[in-house]
């Protein structure tokens, strides 16, 4: 199904990082447990109680130091190295794809490792010990207050024009570890299909949009991806 010339777009979600020990969102013990989404993942929540939101994200930022990429992240690097046209779009805000070695990567929901100035929008990676505490931090350019570099509900996902262009040009679209609940990412499958791409889903449970994939493989990304990608890259 895949040769070196095949143009591939991959979408990943929380499921690909689950085997690294990061909880997914919609599990019974998921990341949102104990928090209302509106409280910690909306601009209104940040305005109402910035300290609560800051502490929530600082805890998630500290967690990055304790987790490592798994075989699923690593297999996607082998695939990228094998292909001439490859884009990885992730909904994940962790940095496990880039730590595994992925290069052509878009974080459409932002990045935990970075903070953004509320005043001048300057973005900076800040992961030293002094950046991971409960005290607010200021921008190195203008002294404005920094906020998480995260796309909250009611905010625009990042780099959408590039993603849409890639979806319109790809031959194969693969969604991995995502429940298909959150738009616009859940719509990428339909956008790729509309342009004639072959579509594949890989997920532990059947996602919301399972019936629209040409192929669906049920199981763990860290087990399925190394096998599949080894087969594709050796042929
Ligand atoms: P979800 O928590 O909604 O879904 C994770 C999916 O991964 C579920 O369907 C699981 O069955 C599957 N899964 C779990 N372990 C897996 C494994 N080892 N291998 C393969 N699949 C596995 O997470 P997302 O779909 O990523 O947005 O959620 C999308 C967005 O909703 C997130 O980016 C976040 C959230 O609200 C924002 O914060 C803006």
């Amino acid at each position: 199904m895949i040769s070196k010339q095949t143009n591939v777009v991959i979408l990943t979600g929380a499921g690909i990082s689950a085997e690294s020990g990061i909880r997914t969102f919609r599990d019974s013990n998921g990341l949102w447990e104990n928090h209302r989404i509106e409280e910690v993942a909306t601009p209104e929540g940040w305005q109402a109680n910035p300290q609560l939101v800051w502490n929530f994200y600082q805890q998630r930022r500290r967690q990055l130091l304790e987790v490592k990429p798994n075989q699923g992240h690593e297999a996607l690097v082998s695939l990228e190295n094998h292909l001439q046209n490859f884009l990885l779009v992730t909904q994940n805000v962790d940095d496990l794809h880039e730590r595994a070695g992925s290069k052509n990567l878009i974080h459409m929901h932002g990045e935990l490792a970075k903070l953004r100035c509320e005043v001048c929008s300057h973005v900076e990676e800040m992961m030293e010990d002094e950046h991971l505490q409960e005290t607010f931090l200021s921008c190195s350019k203008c002294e404005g207050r920094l906020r998480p570099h995260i796309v909250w509900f009611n905010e625009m996902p990042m780099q959408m024009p590039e993603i849409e262009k890639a979806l319109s040009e790809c031959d194969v679209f693969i969604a991995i570890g995502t429940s298909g609940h959150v738009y616009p990412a859940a719509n990428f499958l339909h956008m790729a299909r509309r342009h004639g791409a072959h579509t594949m889903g890989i997920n532990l449970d059947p996602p919301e949009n399972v019936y629209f994939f040409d192929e669906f493989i049920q199981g763990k990304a860290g087990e399925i991806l190394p096998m599949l990608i080894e087969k594709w890259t050796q042929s």
Side-chain angles (χ1 to χ4, degrees), residues 114-126 138-150 155 158:
K114 296 180 179 169
L115 297 172
R116 182 167 85 238
C117 178
E118 286 188 289
V119 179
C120 73
S121 300
H122 172 69
V123 176
E124 208 171 312
E125 181 159 328
M126 296 177 91
S138 313
C139 175
S140 58
K141 303 273 181 225
C142 79
E143 300 283 305
R145 186 173 62 175
L146 297 179
R147 57 160 276 180
H149 185 48
I150 298 289
E155 294 183 321
M158 294 174 185

Side-chain angles (χ1 to χ4, degrees), residues 19-112:
E19 289 159 80
S20 293
I22 301 182
R23 284 188 293 178
T24 59
F25 292 92
R26 288 170 183 78
D27 287 352
S28 48
N29 295 314
L31 260 171
W32 297 131
E33 192 196 30
N34 302 328
H35 297 282
R36 286 181 29 242
I37 290 180
E38 307 79 59
E39 264 173 6
V40 293
T42 60
E44 294 75 21
W46 172 245
Q47 257 171 1
N49 192 345
Q51 191 69 60
L52 174 85
V53 177
W54 181 254
N55 293 352
F56 174 75
Y57 285 97
Q58 288 298 67
Q59 193 187 342
R60 295 181 61 194
R61 280 157 48 73
R62 286 193 294 269
Q63 190 194 17
L64 290 185
L65 303 176
E66 292 158 19
V67 293
K68 291 200 304 264
N70 64 52
Q71 291 185 319
H73 297 103
E74 284 159 10
L76 292 180
V77 178
S78 313
L79 183 62
E80 177 169 8
N81 291 339
H82 182 71
L83 297 175
Q84 289 162 6
N85 285 296
F86 174 92
L87 176 66
L88 173 54
V89 181
T90 187
Q91 297 167 89
N92 297 343
V93 292
D94 66 56
D95 57 359
L96 296 181
H97 281 306
E98 51 269 52
R99 277 165 52 195
S102 289
K103 295 277 182 301
N104 203 15
L105 169 68
I106 292 179
H107 275 280
M108 64 177 289
H109 288 166
E111 295 172 67
L112 279 174

